[in-house]
Structures are given as structure tokens and as C-alpha cells.
Amino acid sequence: RKEVEQDPGPFNVPEGATVAFNCTYSNSASQSFFWYRQDCRKEPKLLMSVYSSGNEDGRFTAQLNRASQYISLLIRDSKLSDSATYLCVVNGGKYNQGGKLIFGQGTELSVKP
Amino acid sequence: DTAVSQTPKYLVTQMGNDKSIKCEQNLGHDTMYWYKQDSKKFLKIMFSYNNKELIINETVPNRFSPKSPDKAHLNLHINSLELGDSAVYFCASSQVRTGDYNSPLHFGNGTRLTVT
């Protein structure tokens, strides 16, 4: 099983749609969780951290389910500018292996007019 | 005020050559990383250094040698370059808190290496 696994893409949605991405992780001791966004030929950029109680930032909502080892990202009212690859990132867990941060393979989102 | 800067941005070279990529961060983070992103876009960790000490080495060929002269710098030297080394290499930094938690990674803008 991969350490961090995401929904396969691509997701093609119309503007204004709501889209959800899922991510599962294998290490139950992981403590830090993030969603990143990567535009074509650019570096990944932090979209949001994911907290145990769930958190929201504008149109973006992240949820964490530790029991199921599952993270989600919900995007409401999709914009054309949301088109990118979304990366789930999880750390190595207790004793953290020196801060190892592991990326999922990414889910590509394409928002169409 | 670039937080993580790496040079060069593009590197085109022939098989068998030796090349280096430099990285510097001004965020005061204690941990720096090299990630490789291949043609399938998968980001894979190669190395991490915490306060100049090598912490993670993810079964990378020993042709790749990271060097950290201080905690703000992490360079990557590659010997005897092969076609399969063509990829985008990202430097990143983070703060590791209490050994269990990470602050988010901040990335440099990448070095696109092409080996011909």
C-alpha cells in the first residue's frame, strides 16, 4: 500500500461546481497534514494545513478522520483559477524520521467555463 | 524576499557530466530537503538535513551527494549524470517541532535538469 494515496484524476468540472478530493495515508502515527496546490511547471504551494477538528479557508474546507486515516478537501463554487494539481501531504509520524513529509501522487483538477 | 531560492533554474547537460544545484533558505527553518519530481509528476523525497545533519536518505544512488555547510544551505551534487536523472529537483525547508510535527514545506522554484 502506498504511504499516501489520492483519488486518480483528472477531475473536469464546470465553473461553480463543488468538487471533493480524498486522500488516505498508511501511517497511523502521522501528525501533520497538508494540502498543496501545484500549477503547471511551478513549485508546489501550501493551500492549507489540515487540523483534527476540520478547518475552512474561504471556499476550501479540509477534514481529517484519524480513525480511518483519511483526509479530504472540498472546493465550493469552483473558479477557472482553481485548475491545478492538488497534492495531499502527510508527515512520517512519531519520531518523525527527521521530518519526512510524504506526497500523494496528486489529483488534477480542470475547471471549465 | 525569496524564502527558498535554488539555482540554476534550468540545467541541460550530457550524460557522464557532474553538476551541482544550490539551495538557500532565509526562513530560519532547521530542516531542508531535496525532492525529485519525475515525468509522471510524482514528488519523491530524496534527502533531508536537520541542522546540517543528514537525517533521511531515501535509497538514492550514491552518485547524488547532498552537502549542507550550514542550516540555511543545502546543495546537491550529481556525478556521472544519466538519462534517467532528467527531472525537476525541488529544494524545500520546514521546521520540525518536537520531532512529531512539521510546519508546512516551503519550496524553491525548482531546477529542471535535462540530461542528453
Side-chain angles (χ1 to χ4, degrees), chain B residues 66-81:
Chain B
K67 293 255 183 334
S68 182
D70 56 61
K71 76 172 196 175
H73 295 84
L74 179 62
N75 305 322
L76 183 65
H77 188 74
I78 317 169
N79 289 327
S80 304
L81 278 154

Side-chain angles (χ1 to χ4, degrees), chain B residues 43-98:
Chain B
L43 265 162
K44 187 167 169 53
I45 191 168
M46 300 172 69
F47 301 102
S48 87
Y49 269 73
N50 181 276
N51 281 317
K52 303 192 294 175
E53 182 185 351
L54 179 64
I55 302 297
I56 295 172
N57 180 340
E58 287 285 303
T59 60
V60 177
N62 58 16
R63 297 182 296 104
F64 290 79
S65 51
K67 293 255 183 334
S68 182
D70 56 61
K71 76 172 196 175
H73 295 84
L74 179 62
N75 305 322
L76 183 65
H77 188 74
I78 317 169
N79 289 327
S80 304
L81 278 154
E82 300 178 358
L83 292 176
D85 297 332
S86 296
V88 182
Y89 292 84
F90 287 102
C91 177
S93 72
S94 172
Q95 186 71 21
V96 177
R97 300 169 182 150
T98 72

Side-chain angles (χ1 to χ4, degrees), chain A residues 53-64:
Chain A
S53 54
N55 49 298
E56 190 173 306
D57 183 1
R59 297 181 294 109
F60 300 86
T61 300
Q63 296 280 354
L64 169 63

Side-chain angles (χ1 to χ4, degrees), chain A residues 19-73:
Chain A
V19 61
F21 302 139
N22 302 318
C23 172
T24 57
Y25 59 96
S26 62
N27 187 344
S28 60
S30 292
Q31 300 288 349
S32 297
F33 310 92
F34 308 98
W35 282 102
Y36 276 73
R37 160 193 179 130
Q38 187 173 25
D39 293 288
C40 190
R41 300 180 78 85
K42 297 282 190 182
E43 73 274 22
K45 290 189 175 168
L46 177 69
L47 180 66
M48 57 198 302
S49 301
V50 186
Y51 302 120
S52 296
S53 54
N55 49 298
E56 190 173 306
D57 183 1
R59 297 181 294 109
F60 300 86
T61 300
Q63 296 280 354
L64 169 63
N65 183 324
R66 285 188 187 272
S68 303
Q69 294 175 211
Y70 169 93
I71 307 161
S72 65
L73 176 69

Side-chain angles (χ1 to χ4, degrees), chain B residues 2-65:
Chain B
T2 306
V4 182
S5 59
Q6 58 183 105
T7 56
K9 190 167 181 180
Y10 299 96
L11 191 49
V12 181
T13 188
Q14 291 184 325
M15 282 175 58
N17 285 347
D18 304 340
K19 290 293 178 188
S20 292
I21 308 172
K22 295 187 174 182
C23 180
E24 176 181 2
Q25 56 100 0
N26 63 8
L27 295 165
H29 288 164
D30 61 2
T31 306
M32 294 185 72
Y33 307 78
W34 280 109
Y35 280 83
K36 177 180 179 180
Q37 188 167 42
D38 58 26
S39 57
K40 293 182 181 173
K41 309 284 181 69
F42 185 56
L43 265 162
K44 187 167 169 53
I45 191 168
M46 300 172 69
F47 301 102
S48 87
Y49 269 73
N50 181 276
N51 281 317
K52 303 192 294 175
E53 182 185 351
L54 179 64
I55 302 297
I56 295 172
N57 180 340
E58 287 285 303
T59 60
V60 177
N62 58 16
R63 297 182 296 104
F64 290 79
S65 51

